[in-house]
Amino acid sequence: MRKRKMGFSKLFVIILGLLLALTLDQCTAQEFRCSSPSSCRALVGYITVNNTNLGAIQSLFNVTSFQSLLGANDLPLSTPRNRTIAARQLIRVPINCVCYNGTGTSSGGPTYTIQPGDGLYHIAAEVFSQLVLFPQIAAANNISNPDLIVVGDTLQIPLPCSCDDVDGQKVVHYAHVVEPNSTLPEIAQEFGTDEATLARINGITAQNQLKAEQPIDVPLKACNSSVRSDSLDFPLLAANGTYVFTANGCVRCTCEAANNWTLHCEPSQNRPSRWDRCPSMQCEGSQGLSLGNVTTSGCSRTTCSYAGFNNSTIFTTLVQDSSCTTSTPSNDVSRISLKWDIVIISVLLCLHLVMLETI
């Protein structure tokens, strides 16, 4: 009888340990490391729970500019706010990111007003689609008891992000919620990075440390730009297949890998948000070139590129590169030449042997 009691005790301890492990797994997240001294623009991948629309997503995440939401998803500017977004569809949401104590978190939003029937777990897992865990919401709002929240109170939602360079390059950090059964190699291939980089920046040393249904930091390669370090929008980061508005809405910049990973900026034709009108965007000493204009002379190409802005001025700069491609012998050509050299030598050697036999 005593042995049976001991067995039940051991079974109880094992079950308790498993429950504790599962609870801890749901309460701990892979933090996004961030030590950059400046703020930046980052992205989060929001998977809609129910049918909704773009305007509702903009309101939920407190996205100031609707155009920035369109740009993050490469949608036409004519897209209406009431554009329907079906359940389980992915929408990339731009956020402002800052670093604090080595960790990145969203700045200036989003905020959420507690509704009747809400709980922190529901807000984290369903309203914000697992981009954040409920203990993180509790910590960010100094809530000692997650079960005691007040309807009508406003919560700060600390979304994960980073502003750090990766391997010396500017990137757009993207919070991607890991799907069940996915692997690091699959995620790396999907987003054009590599497994080692993903593991390093997320502190993952084994495959089983990749937590399903939690966000992972994915660095998206950003287009190169000529933006000055003293510009109010430095660093201006845009990932492939996205566009951003800057200089109080006067400038639109597009990132396309096909454009040699170079940020292409031009006047947006928008009404500026903080100026009476957009300042001049002409490049000095360019004989009439304005922002986005290109001129060529032979193989030399000159572009009037965007270089940033301050409270009264939009900066431009002339960028020169080559529009011609030079063809160089490939390794295959060298190998083919080498093979012909071997053939000729072999033929000559055979002829020499034949001549020796006939003598």
Side-chain angles (χ1 to χ4, degrees), residues 69-85:
L69 183 62
L70 296 179
N73 295 277
D74 198 25
L75 294 172
L77 289 175
S78 59
T79 305
R81 282 182 169 80
N82 62 0
R83 160 86 173 267
T84 299
I85 304 298

Side-chain angles (χ1 to χ4, degrees), residues 17 26 43 75-76 104 106 119 121 129 131-132 143-144 168 174 184 190 235 288 291 304 313:
Q26 291 298 318
L43 295 171
L75 294 172
S106 53
Y121 178 83
S129 189
L131 283 166
V132 62
I143 298 174
S144 57
Y174 174 63
L184 276 182
E190 179 181 357
L291 181 63
C304 182
T313 306

Side-chain angles (χ1 to χ4, degrees), residues 57-239:
I57 295 174
Q58 179 190 5
S59 298
L60 176 64
F61 285 89
N62 302 145
V63 179
T64 304
S65 169
F66 183 66
Q67 290 181 336
S68 66
L69 183 62
L70 296 179
N73 295 277
D74 198 25
L75 294 172
L77 289 175
S78 59
T79 305
R81 282 182 169 80
N82 62 0
R83 160 86 173 267
T84 299
I85 304 298
R88 305 303 301 168
Q89 184 172 340
L90 174 66
I91 295 293
R92 295 188 295 265
V93 180
I95 63 172
N96 294 321
C97 182
V98 294
C99 300
Y100 181 73
N101 285 341
T103 302
T105 188
S106 53
S107 171
T111 59
Y112 178 77
T113 301
I114 300 173
Q115 304 296 315
D118 274 347
L120 289 189
Y121 178 83
H122 164 73
I123 295 170
E126 297 183 10
V127 177
F128 286 94
S129 189
Q130 300 171 319
L131 283 166
V132 62
L133 299 182
F134 77 88
Q136 295 173 312
I137 298 178
N141 293 275
N142 297 316
I143 298 174
S144 57
N145 187 347
D147 294 325
L148 297 178
I149 58 176
V150 180
V151 173
D153 280 359
T154 299
L155 300 175
Q156 292 287 335
I157 307 299
L159 299 177
C161 59
S162 180
C163 295
D164 289 353
D165 294 350
V166 174
D167 296 330
Q169 294 185 343
K170 298 291 183 185
V171 298
V172 177
H173 288 268
Y174 174 63
H176 166 70
V177 176
V178 176
E179 296 181 1
N181 301 318
S182 63
T183 65
L184 276 182
E186 290 171 347
I187 297 173
Q189 183 177 11
E190 179 181 357
F191 293 102
T193 182
D194 60 84
E195 180 182 356
T197 298
L198 280 180
R200 185 178 72 254
I201 67 175
N202 287 282
I204 297 174
T205 57
Q207 174 60 36
N208 58 7
Q209 290 180 315
L210 183 65
K211 298 177 181 178
E213 299 182 341
Q214 287 193 22
I216 185 175
D217 185 359
V218 178
L220 305 178
K221 184 176 179 179
C223 274
N224 301 315
S225 76
S226 303
V227 175
R228 297 162 27 166
S229 60
D230 61 344
S231 173
L232 292 178
D233 59 359
F234 179 86
L236 182 60
L237 303 176

Side-chain angles (χ1 to χ4, degrees), residues 243-320:
Y243 62 85
V244 296
F245 287 88
T246 188
N248 291 326
C250 289
V251 176
R252 173 181 173 176
C253 298
T254 304
C255 176
E256 296 290 347
N259 193 32
N260 197 28
W261 289 99
T262 300
L263 199 64
H264 176 73
C265 300
E266 58 188 3
S268 67
Q269 310 302 328
N270 286 345
R271 181 178 178 180
S273 58
R274 297 184 181 179
W275 289 321
D276 293 334
R277 59 186 180 85
C278 293
S280 171
M281 303 184 206
Q282 186 171 356
C283 276
E284 294 184 6
S286 63
Q287 298 179 351
L289 281 185
S290 294
L291 181 63
N293 292 161
V294 178
T295 184
T296 57
S297 177
C299 285
S300 178
R301 178 172 55 195
T302 303
T303 305
C304 182
S305 298
Y306 175 71
F309 78 105
N310 61 19
N311 290 327
S312 60
T313 306
I314 291 179
F315 307 125
T316 55
T317 184
L318 291 173
V319 176
Q320 294 185 338

Side-chain angles (χ1 to χ4, degrees), residues 17-39:
L18 290 173
L19 291 173
L20 180 61
L22 290 173
T23 303
L24 290 175
D25 188 62
Q26 291 298 318
C27 294
T28 57
Q30 294 162 345
E31 293 184 338
F32 283 27
R33 301 172 183 176
C34 185
S35 58
S36 173
S38 62
S39 60

